[in-house]
Amino acid sequence: MLSVSIGEIIKSRRKDLDCSQEDLSFGICSVSTLSKIERGLQIPTRATFEALMERLGVSPHLYPSFSNEKDRASFELQHEFNEAYAKSDYAEAERVLNELDGMSDLDRAHESFILTSRLLLKQRKRLLEPKDAIKEFEQIIKLYIRNFSIGKIKKYLLTKNDINLLNALAVAYYESGDSQTAIKILYELAEFIRNKVTDREGFSIIYTKILYNLSSYVGMSNNHEEVLRICTIAIEDCVKYSRYRYFSHLIFNKGCSLINLGRETEGHECIKASYYICAVIGKHCEPNLKFIKDYAIKLGIGDMLNEPISGENIFEKFSSNY
C-alpha cells in the first residue's frame, strides 16, 4: 500500500503538470525506475523521492520512512553537510561530504548532491575563477536539467539541488562581470518558485537567498525602487515561514535602498535593525556585524548601535516594522 500511494502521488502530480516521465526523471533516476515507482513495483530512496517531489513543486514530508539503513545514513549526512556549509564551516562540510562519497551504491539523487556540493565548496572557498566556475556549473547543470537554456529556467521542473546550482551559476556570472545574465537567472528562479512550487514553506530559505542575491545585484545597478520591492517581498516570506537565515541581510539591503531614495530616517532604522538581529544570532554573523557597524559609522549613525539590546522577541519586533 505504501509504494502504491507514493507512485500514485507522483504520477497524479506529473499528469497535472503535463510532464513526461523523461522530463521528470532526467538527472534523478532512469525512466524505467520512475515507471516502476509509479506502478508500485519499487520503493524509492528518500533522496530520490524528495528530488522528484521538489521537481513537481510539492512537499515531500509525507514520506514516512527510509528504504534501508544506508538510505537513512546518507540522508542524515546530507543534512549535516548543509548545516556545516550554512555556518561556513568548510572543513567540517568537506569531511561530511567525503564520508558520504565513501558510501557505496548510492543512487543518482545522492550522486547529484555530492557533485553539486563539491563544486559549491570550491566556489565558496574561492578555488575557482568565476569564468571557470561558469563552465563547471553549466557542465553539471546539463547532467540534471534536460535541454538546459537560461531563457527557459522558469519553464523547467527543478529540484532544490537544481535551484542551488542555478543560483551559484548566477553568482559566478555576476563575479565574472556579467551582472545582466546573473540578474536574468535570479528573476527566472524567483518566478519559478512563485508560480510552480506549492510547498512554499519548504522552499522558503532558498527563495529568500535568491531574492537577497537579486536585491544585491539590482542595487549595484542603482534601481533602488526595485530593490525595495524585492526586499519587502523576501522579508515578508521570512516572517511568514519563520525562516530567518537571510533576514538581517535583506533588512540591510532595504535600508540601503531607502537611504539612496532619500528616506534616511527609515533607512537608518533598517540598518540598526539589521545590526541588532546579527548581534542576537551570534558568532555565525560576526563578519556581517562588523560590516554593518563600519557602514553605520560611515553614515554617521554609529551611536545608534550602542544601545543595549535583548534577544527576547527581537525577530517579532523587527518583523512587524520591516
Side-chain angles (χ1 to χ4, degrees):
M1 291 299 294
L2 175 61
S3 58
V4 171
S5 176
I6 290 173
E8 287 178 346
I9 291 167
I10 293 172
K11 184 175 181 179
S12 175
R13 177 62 176 169
R14 181 175 64 77
K15 293 289 188 181
D16 288 343
L17 294 175
D18 193 24
C19 169
S20 69
Q21 288 184 329
E22 289 81 3
D23 285 335
L24 177 58
S25 64
F26 189 84
I28 297 176
C29 61
S30 66
V31 174
S32 62
T33 295
L34 176 59
S35 178
K36 290 177 182 177
I37 292 170
E38 289 190 346
R39 288 182 288 142
L41 302 177
Q42 181 171 328
I43 299 176
T45 65
R46 181 155 184 163
T48 294
F49 180 75
E50 290 206 353
L52 292 170
M53 296 300 277
E54 287 168 1
R55 191 165 277 179
L56 293 171
V58 295
S59 173
H61 295 159
L62 55 85
Y63 197 52
S65 187
F66 299 89
S67 59
N68 52 49
E69 283 305 307
K70 185 177 71 174
D71 184 22
R72 178 189 296 276
S74 61
F75 186 83
E76 289 175 351
L77 285 171
Q78 286 189 40
H79 177 73
E80 288 180 30
F81 171 86
N82 288 332
E83 288 292 310
Y85 183 81
K87 295 176 181 176
S88 301
D89 187 350
Y90 303 134
E92 175 64 9
E94 192 159 5
R95 184 199 67 76
V96 173
L97 201 58
N98 287 337
E99 185 176 348
L100 181 60
D101 201 8
M103 299 179 71
S104 60
D105 301 321
L106 293 175
D107 61 15
R108 194 178 299 178
H110 284 101
E111 292 172 356
S112 168
F113 178 86
I114 293 169
L115 191 60
T116 298
S117 298
R118 288 212 181 278
L119 188 49
L120 289 174
L121 274 176
K122 287 172 69 176
Q123 183 188 42
R124 187 72 76 87
K125 292 166 70 175
R126 304 289 182 182
L127 299 178
L128 284 174
E129 292 296 323
K131 289 185 179 179
D132 293 330
I134 290 170
K135 291 178 183 178
E136 292 203 30
F137 278 121
E138 288 184 339
Q139 287 175 356
I140 294 179
I141 287 166
K142 288 176 182 178
L143 295 176
Y144 300 111
I145 303 178
R146 194 180 185 198
N147 301 321
F148 173 72
S149 170
I150 287 176
K152 297 179 180 178
I153 289 173
K154 62 186 177 184
K155 297 180 181 179
Y156 292 125
L157 301 177
L158 303 173
T159 66
K160 288 181 182 176
N161 194 64
D162 299 332
I163 295 171
N164 275 322
L165 273 170
L166 290 169
N167 177 72
L169 177 65
V171 172
Y173 267 110
Y174 184 80
E175 291 178 345
S176 74
D178 187 352
S179 60
Q180 185 175 357
T181 299
I183 289 171
K184 181 177 182 180
I185 291 170
L186 294 173
Y187 270 122
E188 293 240 341
L189 286 174
E191 186 172 347
F192 165 81
I193 293 174
R194 283 196 306 272
N195 294 335
K196 286 194 174 181
V197 173
T198 58
D199 180 25
R200 289 295 300 276
E201 181 174 4
F203 279 72
S204 180
I205 290 178
I206 195 167
Y207 180 56
T208 52
K209 175 170 69 173
I210 288 165
L211 293 183
Y212 165 65
N213 286 340
L214 185 57
S215 67
S216 299
Y217 300 165
V218 171
M220 295 301 291
S221 65
N222 295 319
N223 189 349
H224 302 299
E225 288 284 1
E226 177 64 0
V227 173
L228 194 60
R229 186 190 73 83
I230 293 168
C231 288
T232 300
I233 291 170
I235 289 167
E236 289 175 354
D237 208 75
C238 290
V239 175
K240 182 176 181 180
Y241 298 113
S242 299
R243 300 288 192 270
Y244 294 110
R245 184 173 297 177
Y246 297 97
F247 192 53
S248 65
H249 303 64
L250 288 158
I251 291 178
F252 179 85
N253 280 3
K254 182 175 181 178
C256 292
S257 67
L258 287 166
I259 291 167
N260 281 292
L261 290 169
R263 297 162 60 179
E264 285 86 359
T265 300
E266 295 172 81
H268 293 171
E269 285 298 317
C270 282
I271 301 300
K272 178 181 175 182
S274 177
Y275 179 83
Y276 280 7
I277 292 167
C278 277
V280 169
I281 291 173
K283 186 175 181 180
H284 175 49
C285 275
E286 282 181 0
N288 292 329
L289 202 64
K290 183 180 184 306
F291 176 81
I292 297 168
K293 188 170 185 177
D294 290 344
Y295 183 75
I297 292 171
K298 183 178 178 180
L299 291 175
I301 59 170
D303 289 344
M304 292 179 65
L305 310 183
N306 295 327
E307 301 172 6
I309 61 174
S310 168
E312 184 178 1
N313 296 324
I314 191 167
F315 289 101
E316 289 80 358
K317 174 183 178 182
F318 289 121
S319 299
S320 62
N321 292 328
Y322 301 106

